[in-house]
Amino acid sequence: MDSTFAKATSQFDRHEVVRVSITEFRDKFREILQGIRENDDWVVLTEDGEAVAATISIEAFEFFLRMYEQVEDEIDLAAVRKAKEESDDGETMTLEEFKRELDD
């Protein structure tokens, strides 16, 4: 994951993030959308100076989804490894013992 992430994120380092108000976004929607499609612009929408949303190309969005899923998978694998290490202490119990322990 690290090399894929490093390679992919290096291309994103070149992006300039454009901040526009919601009003400006509404007024210049077609122009902004064209910039997103053609230049892979990243646009942050603001309301009263506060960032409230962002728009990116579908390609960037799909990349971020893949990276998010990979990170989630790594977290899940780490949890499984930890649980396995903790369970390898030699102590076991039957299902009935486990159920009794839950009832207590």
Side-chain angles (χ1 to χ4, degrees), residues 39-101:
N39 306 323
D40 200 20
D41 289 348
W42 294 4
V43 179
V44 173
L45 305 178
T46 62
E47 184 174 46
D48 300 325
E50 295 267 336
V52 294
T55 60
I56 55 176
S57 68
I58 193 65
E59 292 84 7
F61 177 72
E62 289 170 348
F63 165 78
F64 287 126
L65 283 179
R66 285 192 308 275
M67 290 297 103
Y68 181 80
E69 289 169 357
Q70 286 181 354
V71 168
E72 279 189 323
D73 289 348
E74 288 296 320
I75 291 169
D76 291 344
L77 283 173
V80 167
R81 286 186 192 111
K82 182 178 179 186
K84 184 174 180 339
E85 287 173 10
E86 291 173 357
S87 71
D88 285 345
D89 60 6
E91 293 183 33
T92 61
M93 68 173 63
T94 66
L95 179 58
E96 291 306 315
E97 291 170 327
F98 179 71
K99 287 180 181 178
R100 276 195 303 271
E101 195 170 296

Side-chain angles (χ1 to χ4, degrees), residues 16-20 25 32-33 35-36 41-45 53-56:
E16 180 179 337
V17 177
V18 178
R19 296 175 64 92
V20 298
F25 183 78
I32 292 169
L33 183 59
I36 293 168
D41 289 348
W42 294 4
V43 179
V44 173
L45 305 178
T55 60
I56 55 176

